[in-house]
Amino acid sequence: MNETAASVDMLKPVEDRGGAAQPLLQVDGLTKHFPVRGDLFSKRKTVRAVDDVSFAIAKGETVGIVGESGCGKSTLGRAILRLIKATSGNVVWLGRDLHGLDAAALRTERRNMQIIFQDPLASLDPRMTVGQIIARPLKTFEPGLGKAETERRVTAAMQEVGLAPEMLRRYPHEFSGGQCQRIGIARAMILRPKLVVCDEPVSALDVSIQAQIINLLRRLQKENDLALLFISHNLSVVRHISHRVLVLYLGRVMEVAERDAFYARPLHPYSQALISAIPVPDPKQERSRRRVVLQGDLPSPLNPPLGCRFCTRCPRATDLCHREEPALIDHGAGHLVACHYAGEEQGVLS
């Protein structure tokens, strides 16, 4: 096996390697630390939420970001959009560094980058009607648009996500969770963005509604050649919608791979544990399949372990893992893994 340190080129989508096309979004070494004030006699501490994350996303591609709660998924998505300021690193959007733009230039670029939030009801202003909520991006980025044209575009956006135009003047509390998420999607899509960050968009919804929302996102992506950054802890959902998968643990990238390669043969022990936790609907198969059970809780990002971030919970950890942090290594076909012993064991999702 040819094992080489991962270059920026290997972090690009498959179709963009070799310089054929420019990625829509390129994230290089993105880091976000939160300072925490201690008490009178203790030193100031730092929450290392996201540490040196790099990847790229192409037009029309979906990259799934997975990991346990608290691993930095949502912080990563918000730092990419500059909803929070990154500590270091670069976010290059169509050749321009977003973190180097002033407020006016950033505002211009933001119409092409939208976000769908995790809590559908909390993301909607309860004092505004649905029509006003969906029209808000038009008011912000196209202030000269007439009332009739605004209502026409809002109505079209509602129909696109499966909401009846008669609901235009209702308030958020009159809708179900799934309907509220459709409102959030309509708001995000009304400007026809090129990238949408989906921050756990279905985690608060019933399973049947989850499927409807995922299928809606896939249809909108196909119709608009839309790039999606899909953040989730549900690996079954990520498998359904993503083209590539990136695994985060305590703010660090553990593994990046094409979807089929990742689910067929995950190389990192953490990825194997995540996949083995996916329930199988067949009771016989569920009872007989191998489980990877992790011991202990996720360490605090205030004091991450030395060496490999996963070494305190890894069943294969050695002294080397506790001393030295592994580099992100290419194990072929762009399958990148940060593990000293990657591939020695494998988990298979049946």
Side-chain angles (χ1 to χ4, degrees):
M1 180 181 296
N2 180 24
E3 298 183 4
T4 56
S7 66
V8 173
D9 188 61
M10 292 310 302
L11 293 163
K12 293 179 181 179
V14 171
E15 59 269 29
D16 288 342
R17 294 175 198 152
Q22 182 185 57
L24 191 69
L25 179 78
Q26 178 77 48
V27 179
D28 293 322
L30 190 65
T31 299
K32 177 57 184 176
H33 295 168
F34 294 96
V36 178
R37 296 180 61 182
D39 57 33
L40 185 62
F41 301 103
S42 65
K43 293 182 179 180
R44 195 183 190 95
K45 296 183 178 181
T46 300
V47 175
R48 303 169 71 92
V50 175
D51 251 342
D52 194 25
V53 173
S54 300
F55 68 96
I57 184 169
K59 189 176 182 180
E61 183 186 28
T62 300
V63 174
I65 310 291
V66 302
E68 294 170 278
S69 296
C71 70
K73 303 186 299 295
S74 295
T75 301
L76 173 62
R78 291 166 188 257
I80 287 171
L81 297 179
R82 265 188 68 176
L83 296 178
I84 55 176
K85 186 177 180 181
T87 303
S88 62
N90 299 313
V91 177
V92 180
W93 171 257
L94 291 175
R96 302 182 70 188
D97 185 2
L98 288 182
H99 289 180
L101 300 181
D102 59 26
L106 179 63
R107 183 185 180 91
T108 301
E109 294 295 340
R110 275 216 170 118
R111 70 171 296 146
N112 291 316
M113 301 176 290
Q114 295 295 314
I115 184 169
I116 300 168
F117 295 98
Q118 178 176 356
D119 189 333
L121 186 58
S123 69
L124 307 178
D125 191 331
R127 299 168 298 179
M128 299 173 70
T129 65
V130 169
Q132 292 171 329
I133 290 170
I134 298 174
R136 191 67 209 174
L138 296 176
K139 299 288 186 183
T140 301
F141 291 99
E142 301 180 28
L145 204 63
K147 184 178 179 180
E149 178 61 15
T150 298
E151 185 164 328
R152 185 195 69 78
R153 288 176 62 175
V154 168
T155 300
M158 292 179 68
Q159 291 176 323
E160 188 176 44
V161 299
L163 293 172
E166 297 78 37
M167 300 175 173
L168 191 69
R169 289 172 178 80
R170 295 185 187 176
Y171 288 86
H173 71 269
E174 300 179 67
F175 293 88
S176 67
Q179 288 175 321
C180 285
Q181 196 61 286
R182 289 174 186 269
I183 295 167
I185 294 171
R187 176 178 58 187
M189 290 299 302
I190 197 166
L191 291 173
R192 288 295 179 262
K194 297 176 181 176
L195 170 71
V196 175
V197 174
C198 305
D199 186 8
E200 300 268 15
V202 297
S203 63
L205 306 177
D206 294 336
V207 174
S208 60
I209 306 301
Q210 287 183 17
Q212 295 175 19
I213 297 300
I214 292 300
N215 290 334
L216 171 61
L217 289 172
R218 292 183 68 181
R219 177 173 62 79
L220 292 174
Q221 179 180 44
K222 185 176 181 180
E223 292 174 354
N224 299 281
D225 208 11
L226 181 67
L228 297 177
L229 187 63
F230 193 89
I231 297 168
S232 180
H233 61 265
N234 188 329
L235 270 76
S236 295
V237 170
V238 169
R239 185 179 194 178
H240 186 65
I241 195 172
S242 299
H243 299 102
R244 285 188 299 141
V245 180
L246 184 150
V247 181
L248 276 185
Y249 183 83
L250 274 184
R252 297 283 292 191
V253 177
M254 297 290 107
E255 187 164 358
V256 185
E258 299 297 316
R259 176 193 61 197
D260 293 342
F262 175 77
Y263 283 92
R265 188 172 181 260
L267 298 181
H268 197 283
Y270 181 56
S271 303
Q272 293 169 9
L274 290 177
I275 289 181
S276 76
I278 300 174
V280 175
D282 185 337
K284 291 183 179 180
Q285 187 178 353
E286 177 70 20
R287 284 193 296 268
S288 62
R289 71 190 186 111
R290 185 176 69 90
R291 289 274 189 178
V292 180
V293 181
L294 300 180
Q295 303 297 321
D297 297 323
L298 190 72
S300 171
L302 279 169
N303 186 28
L306 298 175
C308 176
R309 295 286 174 93
F310 187 57
C311 67
T312 58
R313 301 173 72 194
C314 181
R316 287 186 276 145
T318 65
D319 289 341
L320 174 63
C321 303
H322 290 272
R323 292 194 317 267
E324 183 179 325
E325 187 165 14
L328 199 62
I329 300 295
D330 176 31
H331 287 256
H335 196 145
L336 309 176
V337 189
C339 178
H340 295 299
Y341 307 105
E344 290 188 3
E345 296 180 17
Q346 69 181 51
V348 177
L349 180 63
S350 300

